[in-house]
Protein backbone atom coordinates (compact mmCIF):
# COMPACT_ATOMS: atom_id res chain seq x y z
CA UNK A 1 0.00 0.00 0.00
CA UNK A 2 2.77 2.48 0.88
CA UNK A 3 4.56 1.77 -2.43
CA UNK A 4 1.36 2.76 -4.30
CA UNK A 5 1.09 5.96 -2.28
CA UNK A 6 4.72 6.77 -3.04
CA UNK A 7 4.16 6.13 -6.75
CA UNK A 8 1.19 8.51 -6.70
CA UNK A 9 3.11 11.16 -4.79
CA UNK A 10 6.50 10.99 -6.50
CA UNK A 11 5.56 9.87 -10.05
CA UNK A 12 9.27 9.35 -10.89
CA UNK A 13 12.79 9.24 -9.44
CA UNK A 14 13.22 12.09 -6.97
CA UNK A 15 16.74 13.01 -8.07
CA UNK A 16 16.60 16.49 -9.66
CA UNK A 17 16.15 16.20 -13.41
CA UNK A 18 15.65 12.42 -13.47
CA UNK A 19 12.35 11.28 -14.91
CA UNK A 20 12.66 7.49 -14.54
CA UNK A 21 9.03 6.42 -13.95
CA UNK A 22 7.90 5.20 -10.54
CA UNK A 23 7.43 1.69 -11.93
CA UNK A 24 11.19 1.55 -12.59
CA UNK A 25 12.17 2.98 -9.19
CA UNK A 26 13.17 1.50 -5.86
CA UNK A 27 11.78 2.52 -2.49
CA UNK A 28 14.38 3.95 -0.13
CA UNK A 29 14.51 5.37 3.37
CA UNK A 30 15.33 9.10 3.38
CA UNK A 31 16.83 8.73 6.86
CA UNK A 32 18.64 5.37 6.57
CA UNK A 33 16.97 2.32 8.12
CA UNK A 34 20.32 1.27 9.61
CA UNK A 35 20.38 4.59 11.48
CA UNK A 36 16.91 4.15 13.02
CA UNK A 37 15.02 5.48 9.99
CA UNK A 38 11.41 4.35 10.09
CA UNK A 39 9.68 2.50 7.30
CA UNK A 40 6.93 5.09 7.03
CA UNK A 41 5.48 7.16 4.18
CA UNK A 42 7.14 10.37 5.33
CA UNK A 43 10.58 8.72 5.43
CA UNK A 44 10.43 7.02 2.03
CA UNK A 45 11.15 8.20 -1.50
CA UNK A 46 11.49 6.64 -4.94
CA UNK A 47 14.88 6.54 -6.70
CA UNK A 48 15.95 4.94 -9.95
CA UNK A 49 18.65 2.29 -9.58
CA UNK A 50 21.47 4.72 -10.46
CA UNK A 51 20.39 7.43 -8.04
CA UNK A 52 19.49 4.94 -5.30
CA UNK A 53 23.04 3.57 -5.57
CA UNK A 54 24.46 7.10 -5.38
CA UNK A 55 22.40 7.97 -2.33
CA UNK A 56 23.34 4.72 -0.57
CA UNK A 57 27.03 5.38 -1.36
CA UNK A 58 26.57 8.86 0.17
CA UNK A 59 27.52 10.72 -3.01
CA UNK A 60 24.99 13.24 -1.70
CA UNK A 61 22.86 13.66 1.41
CA UNK A 62 19.10 13.90 1.45
CA UNK A 63 17.22 15.93 4.03
CA UNK A 64 13.43 15.87 4.34
CA UNK A 65 11.72 19.25 4.52
CA UNK A 66 8.47 18.45 6.32
CA UNK A 67 7.69 22.08 7.10
CA UNK A 68 7.83 23.01 3.40
CA UNK A 69 5.37 20.45 2.07
CA UNK A 70 4.48 16.80 1.84
CA UNK A 71 7.51 14.87 0.64
CA UNK A 72 9.86 17.78 -0.12
CA UNK A 73 13.55 16.83 -0.07
CA UNK A 74 16.69 18.94 0.02
CA UNK A 75 19.50 17.40 -2.04
CA UNK A 76 22.88 19.15 -1.92
CA UNK A 77 25.28 18.39 -4.77
CA UNK A 78 28.73 17.96 -3.25
CA UNK A 79 30.43 18.49 -6.62
CA UNK A 80 28.81 21.81 -7.58
CA UNK A 81 27.98 23.08 -4.11
CA UNK A 82 24.40 23.78 -5.24
CA UNK A 83 21.37 22.64 -3.29
CA UNK A 84 18.28 21.30 -5.05
CA UNK A 85 14.78 21.05 -3.61
CA UNK A 86 12.86 18.06 -4.92
CA UNK A 87 9.10 18.56 -4.63
CA UNK A 88 6.80 15.62 -5.33
CA UNK A 89 4.70 15.93 -8.47
CA UNK A 90 1.44 15.22 -6.62
CA UNK A 91 1.64 15.70 -2.85
CA UNK A 92 -0.75 13.33 -1.15
CA UNK A 93 -3.99 15.02 -0.20
CA UNK A 94 -4.46 15.01 3.61
CA UNK A 95 -7.79 13.15 3.26
CA UNK A 96 -6.10 10.34 1.31
CA UNK A 97 -3.39 10.09 3.97
CA UNK A 98 -6.01 10.00 6.75
CA UNK A 99 -7.84 7.21 4.91
CA UNK A 100 -4.57 5.27 4.57
CA UNK A 101 -3.81 5.70 8.28
CA UNK A 102 -7.30 4.53 9.23
CA UNK A 103 -6.96 1.40 7.07
CA UNK A 104 -3.56 0.66 8.60
CA UNK A 105 -4.98 1.05 12.11
CA UNK A 106 -7.85 -1.32 11.26
CA UNK A 107 -5.47 -3.87 9.73
CA UNK A 108 -3.27 -3.79 12.83
CA UNK A 109 -6.13 -3.93 15.33
CA UNK A 110 -6.49 -7.10 17.41
CA UNK A 111 -9.18 -9.47 16.08
CA UNK A 112 -11.29 -9.33 19.25
Amino acid sequence: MVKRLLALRDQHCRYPGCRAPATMCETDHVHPFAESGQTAYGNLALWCKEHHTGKTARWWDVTPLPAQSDGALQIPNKGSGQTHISQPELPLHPAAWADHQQRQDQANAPPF
Side-chain angles (χ1 to χ4, degrees), residues 19 27-28 40-41 48 60 62 65 78 102-103 112:
R19 291 294 181 249
T27 303
D28 183 56
Y41 175 78
C48 69
W60 60 83
V62 177
L65 298 173
K78 292 180 181 178
Q102 182 179 14
R103 289 172 192 257
F112 49 86

Side-chain angles (χ1 to χ4, degrees), residues 15 59-60 74-84:
Y15 191 80
W59 294 343
W60 60 83
Q74 179 176 314
I75 306 170
N77 183 317
K78 292 180 181 178
S80 70
Q82 295 180 334
T83 298
H84 300 279

